[in-house]
Amino acid sequence: MQNTAEDISNAASGHKANLSNPNTSEASKAHSKEVLDSMPDQPHYGKEEQNVSKNPNQVAGGLKAAINNDSIPESGKQKAQEKLDQM
């Protein structure tokens, strides 16, 4: 294991799954808890070197879709409209 952000995230996911699995032993759960407690508190999502800017057209399209989506609450639609107006 290379200990990249993705590797750490995958390891944490495995240990969390072990804790919620009723078929694993208490010793195994104790080990997973120790490992998780020793990990840093910040989440490790994605890749460290990933610094991708967002496509403004796609962002605008997503905001417009949210504004017209009936399952989005009115407060969410208002926030989406405000962000769209700022673009």
Side-chain angles (χ1 to χ4, degrees):
M1 189 152 93
Q2 296 177 351
N3 286 335
T4 64
E6 189 173 9
D7 292 335
I8 294 168
S9 180
N10 288 340
S13 295
H15 286 293
K16 288 177 184 177
N18 186 44
L19 290 175
S20 63
N21 186 343
N23 298 322
T24 58
S25 68
E26 289 303 316
S28 176
K29 289 181 181 186
H31 171 72
S32 287
K33 182 162 177 25
E34 287 176 19
V35 171
L36 286 171
D37 289 344
S38 70
M39 287 184 163
D41 287 337
Q42 66 255 32
H44 298 283
Y45 303 117
K47 298 184 178 180
E48 294 166 349
E49 62 274 353
Q50 190 175 32
N51 187 10
V52 179
S53 61
K54 296 179 181 179
N55 181 329
N57 292 330
Q58 290 179 332
V59 172
L63 292 170
K64 289 176 184 177
I67 292 167
N68 294 308
N69 187 336
D70 292 335
S71 66
I72 302 290
E74 202 57 42
S75 61
K77 291 180 180 183
Q78 289 173 354
K79 288 180 184 177
Q81 184 65 55
E82 289 170 6
K83 287 183 181 182
L84 187 60
D85 292 342
Q86 292 174 355
M87 292 183 75

